[in-house]
Amino acid sequence: MAHRPEVNGPAPARRTVLRGSLGASAALSVPLLASGAAPAQALRGRPAARWGVQTGDVTATSGLVWVRSDRRARMVVETSATESFRRSRRWHGPLVGPDTDFTGRAALHGLPPGETVHYRVTLADPDDPRRTGKPVYGSFRTAPARRRESVRFLWSGDLAGQGWGINPDRGGYPIFAEMRRLYPDFFLCSGDTIYADNPIPERLELPDGKVWRNVTTPEKSKVAETLQEFRGNFRYNLLDGALRRFNAQVPWITQWDDHEVLNNWYPGELLDDDRYTVKDVDTLAARSRRAFSEYFPVSTLPPKDEDGRVYRVVRHGPLLDVFVLDMRSYRNPNSPGRQPDEAQGILGARQLAWLKRELSRSRAVWKVIASDMPLGLVVKDGRTDYEAVAQGDPGAPLGRELQLAELLRHIKHRRITGTVWFTTDVHHTCAQRYDPERAAFKDFAPFWEFVSGPLNAGGFGALELDGTFGPDQRFVKAPRQPNTPPTEGGQFYGQVDIDGHSGEMTVRLREEGGAVLFTQVLQPGRVGQ
């Protein structure tokens, strides 16, 4: 097994105008230009990458590098096997400008498998290439080419929800500093990367009478409707220094869920919400998807793929394939979920066919299914409708459950081994094993689902389980009060280690502060666990 530092040891060397408390927020290394429009005097000099760097969808030989400039600039990336950059390779990225909110990404290919890649991004004046800004450094590890090399990743979701934003009194988003010290190969963000429908106020009163203070910006003072407001939501999180340092060291595999647009949305929805002047959810979703594609390095989003798919498979060597789902863009409308015949479901027919085909083709030991919503937890939308797959009826599959039943049947009959589901969304953590012996629908092999999150949002209570697929909840930890603030706990993430020698997968559910709450070891090569 490759050497990793101790869990609680030091991190390894891998290389708008703000409102609120500016004095305290200076400790967060907040970029000087929080809004998209920089003041004229700040644009003198050379281009600057004040929002850090980020990598995404890293494989054994490829990856995407992201940056944002404070003005028009040419993006140049250099990669090297060493921090000295004595021998380096140069990659010419795009010319970034206002059409992408000054963001850009460069695709790297032909990288060495299983190696640490050091990189630096330099922004150059497009009219005078000799005028360059200060390089910004990062590093990542490519996926291994050999089965004997172990893999570690983390997962969670839900950032800056319910008005709990970047609090300088807590050091911003402290969970990212904690996760960085675990030295993961990548971070799987399971959605709700922003809360476009949750404004960030300057102050919130805590239950004990104390005050939670937020760094905030004009774009976060209202619900997001315009493209610029959605961009400002994604940019907001990058004001946090702990997140930027995490991004410089840990690649992301990113998916989205509802709050990138608004709570519980579905295609074709028309809003009855006085906060919005734009009532057409499809218009809001299109604007958010564009901003999402600008602020996250995702291999299937524009400019590479004009269809703008969030669902994809990211291959991480012989041990692991990650199947990233999109349970938001193709779903049927939220409803009581009792339809006896339902082809569209929560994935749509095309995505379901893709998932079945790619799972059948996969030769990885483990097939992680990254789901932005849980399967058996009953997530309501109002009094009569349901938001996720389950709808509270423990009998035979109905509504969206029919699509899940078809997928599970396919996995069993094709004898696809090593499928494990990871998700977030519900603002608590739990683990359940689905067993056909306990289920109303029995034509599937047993499997596990692990739930974690939020990263920095309100905590919420445990949800009821639907018995259709026989879930046996082995662990749950949830706050007792709704919208519990991060200062009172309830902030969770998960850790997954795959051993290169035995092939075993060890899943740990963790809480901010470092505590391991639950551990489950899974054996490789089985259709069901």
Side-chain angles (χ1 to χ4, degrees):
M1 182 173 179
H3 171 74
R4 295 185 187 275
E6 293 298 319
V7 165
N8 294 317
R14 324 202 319 181
R15 297 280 153 215
T16 241
V17 177
L18 299 180
R19 298 199 301 268
S21 176
L22 285 175
S25 65
L28 303 178
S29 301
V30 173
L32 297 178
L33 309 175
S35 72
Q41 62 270 26
L43 291 178
R44 295 172 184 165
R46 302 167 184 268
R50 305 178 191 277
W51 291 265
V53 288
Q54 184 182 168
T55 53
D57 287 8
V58 170
T59 70
T61 60
S62 66
L64 295 171
V65 174
W66 174 97
V67 75
R68 183 177 193 262
S69 177
D70 63 351
R71 71 198 76 192
R72 289 179 69 252
R74 174 69 65 181
M75 177 184 181
V76 178
V77 181
E78 293 173 275
T79 60
S80 175
T82 64
E83 291 179 281
S84 68
F85 287 87
R86 191 162 298 167
R87 297 181 62 185
S88 63
R89 184 177 176 185
R90 176 167 291 202
W91 310 79
H92 293 281
L95 177 65
V96 303
D99 56 328
T100 61
D101 202 29
F102 303 95
T103 66
R105 64 190 190 190
L108 311 183
H109 299 285
L111 301 175
E115 298 290 340
T116 297
V117 176
H118 299 274
Y119 69 94
R120 60 187 177 194
V121 179
T122 303
L123 296 172
D125 187 328
D127 301 317
D128 183 359
R130 296 170 299 178
R131 291 174 54 81
T132 61
K134 183 179 179 181
V136 183
Y137 292 83
S139 64
F140 60 90
R141 184 173 176 82
T142 53
R146 298 180 302 168
R147 189 188 184 282
R148 292 291 184 180
E149 296 186 51
S150 301
V151 175
R152 171 180 291 173
F153 72 90
L154 308 179
W155 95 95
S156 189
D158 304 297
L159 187 57
Q162 291 74 51
W164 309 108
I166 300 171
N167 184 345
D169 299 328
R170 297 184 78 227
Y173 296 148
I175 199 166
F176 285 101
E178 182 175 313
M179 293 194 301
R180 184 172 61 90
R181 289 192 291 269
L182 291 173
Y183 194 41
D185 293 299
F186 65 89
F187 174 59
L188 170 61
C189 188
S190 301
D192 291 342
T193 57
I194 62 168
Y195 276 71
D197 55 337
N198 285 188
I200 299 290
E202 293 180 25
R203 299 160 66 88
L204 288 169
E205 186 171 333
L206 296 169
D208 61 5
K210 296 181 180 178
V211 172
W212 172 289
R213 296 187 302 145
N214 281 316
V215 172
T216 189
T217 67
E219 294 93 342
K220 285 302 300 177
S221 66
K222 65 178 290 293
V223 296
E225 298 180 85
T226 68
L227 175 59
Q228 284 302 111
E229 288 167 349
F230 281 109
R231 287 168 166 170
N233 272 254
F234 288 104
R235 194 164 51 244
Y236 173 79
N237 289 327
L238 296 176
L239 298 177
D240 179 60
L243 175 55
R244 295 200 307 279
R245 288 186 288 274
F246 182 85
N247 287 348
Q249 180 179 310
V250 182
W252 286 50
I253 297 177
T254 313
Q255 63 191 137
W256 76 344
D257 190 35
D258 56 337
H259 289 286
E260 282 82 1
V261 181
L262 58 90
N263 189 45
N264 296 355
W265 74 274
Y266 53 83
E269 183 181 5
L270 296 177
L271 291 181
D272 181 17
D273 187 330
D274 292 340
R275 298 178 303 166
Y276 288 84
T277 58
V278 178
K279 303 294 186 180
D280 177 22
V281 171
D282 288 350
T283 298
L284 296 173
R287 291 169 181 171
S288 178
R289 185 187 295 268
R290 177 171 172 180
F292 181 86
S293 72
E294 292 168 345
Y295 275 85
F296 287 110
V298 174
S299 58
T300 52
L301 287 172
K304 180 176 179 180
D305 187 333
E306 290 302 323
D307 290 340
R309 291 184 297 111
V310 174
Y311 71 85
R312 63 201 186 279
V313 56
V314 180
R315 305 194 188 280
H316 199 84
L319 287 173
L320 176 63
D321 282 345
V322 181
F323 298 85
V324 182
L325 303 188
D326 181 353
M327 290 180 156
R328 189 57 54 182
S329 303
Y330 313 101
R331 62 167 52 201
N332 56 7
N334 293 349
S335 73
R338 300 304 199 271
Q339 304 95 318
D341 184 18
E342 176 53 63
Q344 185 175 355
I346 201 166
L347 296 175
R350 182 178 178 183
Q351 183 178 188
L352 176 62
W354 165 86
L355 179 58
K356 291 163 66 175
R357 181 176 66 251
E358 293 299 325
L359 283 170
S360 299
R361 291 175 176 174
S362 174
R363 296 296 176 263
V365 175
W366 293 101
K367 292 91 174 167
V368 160
I369 303 178
S371 171
D372 45 300
M373 299 213 72
L375 304 180
L377 296 174
V378 180
V379 185
K380 292 186 175 180
D381 180 19
R383 296 181 60 186
T384 62
D385 294 345
Y386 292 88
E387 159 72 348
V389 177
Q391 24 68 333
D393 181 344
L398 295 170
R400 292 170 179 164
E401 294 173 334
L402 292 164
Q403 200 173 62
L404 178 59
E406 181 181 345
L407 174 62
L408 296 179
R409 184 188 295 114
H410 173 84
I411 291 171
K412 175 187 174 183
H413 288 211
R414 291 295 184 96
R415 298 197 59 78
I416 299 170
T417 61
T419 58
V420 190
W421 293 72
F422 293 90
T423 187
T424 177
D425 181 71
V426 292
H427 296 231
H428 65 266
T429 188
C430 59
Q432 37 270 347
R433 182 179 185 269
Y434 291 79
D435 189 341
E437 296 300 319
R438 301 167 49 91
F441 173 79
K442 298 184 179 297
D443 194 10
F444 71 97
F447 67 95
W448 281 84
E449 176 187 47
F450 298 97
V451 182
S452 194
L455 289 162
N456 194 97
F460 286 83
L463 296 175
E464 170 192 353
L465 278 166
D466 185 312
T468 296
F469 299 102
D472 176 18
Q473 192 163 75
R474 303 291 180 87
F475 176 80
V476 61
K477 183 172 183 179
R480 294 182 180 181
Q481 300 298 324
N483 197 18
T484 298
T487 49
E488 297 187 18
Q491 309 298 293
F492 304 107
Y493 62 96
Q495 174 185 334
V496 182
D497 288 280
I498 306 175
D499 183 78
H501 294 281
S502 67
E504 287 183 343
M505 174 185 281
T506 302
V507 181
R508 296 177 176 89
L509 301 180
R510 307 182 70 114
E511 187 168 18
E512 182 182 286
V516 175
L517 306 174
F518 175 80
T519 301
Q520 181 65 44
V521 179
L522 305 179
Q523 298 301 319
R526 298 182 182 178
V527 177
Q529 292 289 332

